[in-house]
Structures are given as C-alpha cells and as structure tokens.
Amino acid sequence: MNLTKDEEAILKGESGESARKAMELITAIGKIYGAEDLVNITSAHLSGASYKTIGDGGLIYLEDVVKGGAKVKVKSTLNPVGMDRNRWSEMHISEDFAKKQLRIIELYKSMGVNTTCSCTPYTGVNVPKLGDHVAWAESSALSYVNSMIGARTNREGGPGALAAAILGKTANYGLHLKKNRKPDVVIDVNIGGSVFEYSLLGQAVGSIIGNKIPYFRGIKPGLEEAKTMAGAMASSGSVAMFHVDGVTPEYADFDIDELEVIYVGKDELKEAYDKLNTTDDIQLISLGCPHLTEKEIHEIALMIRSKKKKKDVEIWFCTSSAVKEKCHEDVKIIEEFGLVLTDTCMVVSPIEKSFSCTGTNSCKAGNYLQTLCSQKVMCKDITQLLKVVY
Ligand code: F3S
C-alpha cells in the first residue's frame, strides 16, 4: 500500500501505541482487499457496544485500547447497547450485566465517542453528506447512508470502525471507489406502500441477491421505508448499498441496460413472511428495528391512544434518546402500553434470559431474534401486532 510519511510514522508507533495498533489493523485490512492507499473519513459509527455481543473479552480489549491513550479523531457515534442505561431493571437485566455495560459505555465516552447509542444516527446526531468517506459498522445504517445519502462506507466490523475513528482514515477499497458502487441487478417491484411491506421486500431481495447491489424500480421509499428495507436486506443477505430509480442520489450515474432483471411482487413477500413467522403466541412485542423515528412514534401514539391494553404482553418501543426527548407528549401515551426505551434494542439486549417468543414488525429483527436471541418470532405489520394486546 502507498502510505504517506505521516502514516508510516504512525505505523512505527510515533503517535502512540493505540494509533500504531489501529494503523496496523487498517493497513492489514487494506492489503487483504487490495487497497492502494488510505482515505480520510469524516465520521465513524461504531458497533461492538453491547456487553451481550462482546462479552468480557471485548470489555478487556476496550480497557486496553483506552489505556493506550486512544481518542477518536472524527465524529464517532455508538450503536445500541444491551440495555437502556436508566431503565435496565425494567428490562429484567442483571446488576452484573448492567455494571459491565455501563463500563463499556464509559470507555467509549472516554475516547471521545458520542454515546447516544442509536442505530439511526443519520436522523440527527451523525449525518454524512453526499460523497463523504465514512467508516460505519451497523449494517442497516451503513446501507442507509451509502444509498439514501451517497456517503461512502464499506461494511465495517466493530474493531475496524474503531481503528478508522482513531486514525480519521480507512483503507480505500470497495464502496469507497465509485466504480464499485454500480448496480449488479435490477429489481422490478410491485408491492403496496406500507413500511412492513418494504421490510418484507428487503427480506425477499436480500435472500435472492446475497451481497449484490440492487437497482430498484417501482418504489419510492422515504426515511422509514428505506431504513427498514436496508436492515432487512443486510440481514437476509449482506447488501451494503442499493439504488432506487428517481430517489437515491447516485441512481442515474450508471448504465443499467444490460443488467439482469428480477421481479418481486406479492408472492415473494408472502414467501418471506411465511419463513419469518414461527409462532402465534408471544410474550414480548418489540418495535423499533431500526430505531423508531419521530414520525413512527407519533403514528403509534395515534394508533393506541383510545385503546386499552388487555393482554399481559410486555411491549418495548426502541428509539434514540434524541427522538424520545422530542416526542414527549406521544411518549406519555405510548408508555400506557409499554416501555419507551433508549440506547438499546431487542436484538442486542439479553432478551433470551426472560422471553422465548417475541413479536416484531421488522424483518431484520425477525432474522436476528431467531439466530442471535433463540426466539420464536411473530413478524407482522405494526397494527396487526398491537391488536394482540387490545
Ligand atoms: Fe438497530 Fe438493533 Fe435493529 S441495532 S437495526 S434495532 S437489530
């Protein structure tokens, strides 16, 4: 790889041990993927924040990184952690888990990371611009910013994103290069317009195309539709970027005439729905994967404000602290039904310790609740899900 003099010096340890280790990791990744050089980034979004997913090994690793004097050089935000830092006891979290989780947050904070702990930082706290190079490590969020904003990031892992944040640079390969952002396949879509249908669309398309870049025709996603579709495609497949005809900023930059065309309609959505639904009986409903937006919080409040909760099913509404603060009145209505949680989500919290059957309106959650949380899943539209408790 071609490194500048300053980058060589970092690799020799002249900027400290943490920077040296970060440079070692980034250049090793760059060599594996054939990067010619490094590129400056404007922001990072870090995963590897839940004690459930990183365990004691991850905690020790972070303690070491902090001891080495690590500080992030660019705006860096943190993904959801294993609990709401103020309401963890209501989530049935043990004191031991809470103590370790709070320490993890503290360690990230001491490195200069914004510990808002949300998977939708692009709605407020960390908003890249078109053409920005960034290093993001949350599969739904990185797909969203690649596609809907036109920022450039690869599908980073937790340690890679942290190393990039410490250096303010990442290896220049993959989706950082315009030539690799071209679509691989056209998806002609004929579905309705609900957010849940977009989630099923993402589920179906991810299963069909794996890690290719799709070019959609026939849809017009807004924020809520795009974030759920991105999450579903990143979990049923490993899609890191998509184009939408007439919507995404780079859709017109490539020639699609020769591409394979795949049709996705109601039958494909039904197949995705049938595969995800594995129970009719649930103990928990968890909404907000990716985190609920202001619009979604408002719609839920309207949906339930004249209803009475009759069935004893716990409900978690997962969002960011910024959104919760802005939606004070709606939150009061929603809390009649369940907990409005921040910092966390159903997948990265240890719900398997308390529940075995969970309802969600997100196909991304539907996938991971089964594979990472040992849950039987009910995956339905939000109105259908909430009818379970009226
Ligand atoms: Fe966010 Fe958790 Fe879903 S991190 S995208 S709510 S799995």
Side-chain angles (χ1 to χ4, degrees):
M1 277 178 81
N2 301 315
L3 298 184
T4 63
K5 279 191 180 146
D6 287 349
E7 291 161 356
E8 292 281 7
I10 293 171
L11 199 51
K12 284 183 192 144
E14 291 174 20
S15 298
E17 190 53 12
S18 283
R20 187 192 66 75
K21 282 188 180 157
M23 185 60 89
E24 211 169 66
L25 179 58
I26 292 296
T27 50
I29 293 170
K31 278 176 197 157
I32 291 168
Y33 290 103
E36 286 183 7
D37 54 10
L38 304 184
V39 63
N40 291 333
I41 57 168
T42 55
S43 80
H45 181 68
L46 314 177
S47 63
S50 165
Y51 176 63
K52 168 180 162 174
T53 52
I54 68 170
D56 289 325
L59 178 51
I60 292 166
Y61 170 78
L62 288 172
E63 295 276 9
D64 275 355
V65 174
V66 169
K67 256 187 222 140
K71 296 278 176 211
V72 295
K73 269 206 171 150
V74 291
K75 178 183 281 185
S76 303
T77 40
L78 198 61
N79 221 33
V81 296
M83 59 187 213
D84 184 312
R85 74 191 89 181
N86 299 310
R87 306 188 75 176
W88 52 268
S89 60
E90 293 167 87
M91 296 174 68
H92 320 287
I93 301 284
S94 72
E95 272 189 39
D96 181 58
F97 185 101
K99 207 170 123 203
K100 288 172 172 168
Q101 184 61 76
L102 291 172
R103 179 65 186 150
I104 291 168
I105 296 171
E106 204 177 291
L107 288 167
Y108 277 110
K109 200 171 178 182
S110 73
M111 288 188 264
V113 176
N114 175 321
T115 54
T116 311
C117 305
S118 173
C119 50
T120 56
Y122 49 80
T123 60
V125 67
N126 191 353
V127 191
K129 296 195 298 297
L130 175 67
D132 279 358
H133 293 273
V134 300
W136 281 41
E138 152 54 43
S139 62
S140 68
L142 70 89
S143 176
Y144 186 95
V145 300
N146 262 330
S147 313
M148 298 298 283
I149 295 179
R152 298 182 181 195
T153 178
N154 286 315
R155 205 175 145 117
E156 299 282 354
L162 178 57
I166 290 168
L167 298 171
K169 293 168 186 285
T170 194
N172 196 11
Y173 71 97
L175 294 174
H176 289 286
L177 305 174
K178 185 76 181 179
K179 64 177 182 179
N180 295 328
R181 298 171 69 81
K182 65 180 190 312
D184 300 306
V185 54
V186 172
I187 310 287
D188 269 343
V189 182
N190 183 9
I191 62 165
S194 77
V195 170
F196 184 58
E197 281 166 294
Y198 273 89
S199 200
L200 287 171
L201 173 63
Q203 178 74 12
V205 170
S207 315
I208 298 166
I209 67 168
N211 65 357
K212 290 182 179 165
I213 299 179
Y215 182 104
F216 288 99
R217 291 192 297 213
I219 54 171
K220 291 271 179 271
L223 165 62
E224 287 73 18
E225 294 80 11
K227 80 176 166 75
T228 194
M229 184 173 84
M233 274 193 292
S235 57
S236 66
S238 48
V239 174
M241 176 171 187
F242 57 90
H243 300 277
V244 182
D245 191 36
V247 174
T248 51
E250 295 170 83
Y251 84 93
D253 296 356
F254 304 98
D255 186 4
I256 59 164
D257 289 349
E258 303 295 316
L259 296 181
E260 176 194 4
V261 178
I262 296 173
Y263 173 80
V264 176
K266 290 200 163 55
D267 290 349
E268 288 74 18
L269 264 55
K270 171 85 170 61
E271 198 183 321
Y273 175 90
D274 288 344
K275 277 190 193 155
L276 277 175
N277 278 278
T278 54
T279 186
D280 290 327
D281 190 21
I282 47 175
Q283 302 152 327
L284 170 72
I285 294 174
S286 190
L287 305 172
C289 172
H291 275 173
L292 295 167
T293 61
E294 278 179 72
K295 184 178 169 206
E296 288 172 317
I297 294 262
H298 186 58
E299 284 171 356
I300 293 169
L302 284 178
M303 207 181 290
I304 64 179
R305 71 177 169 187
S306 56
K307 306 275 194 313
K308 279 267 170 289
K309 188 178 169 192
K310 291 186 188 135
K311 199 166 172 194
D312 188 22
V313 170
E314 285 193 35
I315 313 182
W316 294 355
F317 303 89
C318 301
T319 188
S320 67
S321 47
V323 167
K324 187 176 177 182
E325 272 163 33
K326 279 190 207 154
C327 301
H328 187 63
E329 289 305 313
D330 290 329
V331 166
K332 272 202 282 188
I333 296 168
I334 293 173
E335 292 236 310
E336 296 286 318
F337 268 68
L339 301 174
V340 178
L341 300 171
T342 62
D343 312 320
T344 191
C345 81
M346 64 301 272
V347 170
V348 297
S349 73
I351 66 163
E352 58 279 8
K353 304 256 191 250
S354 312
F355 307 99
S356 57
C357 301
T358 297
T360 177
N361 66 334
S362 155
C363 294
K364 176 176 177 180
N367 290 313
Y368 289 152
L369 284 167
Q370 299 191 43
T371 55
L372 303 177
C373 308
S374 313
Q375 300 294 296
K376 289 196 170 148
V377 166
M378 178 189 284
C379 190
K380 289 185 190 292
D381 184 85
I382 196 165
T383 45
Q384 299 300 316
L385 266 184
L386 290 173
K387 271 186 191 159
V388 171
V389 298
Y390 296 156

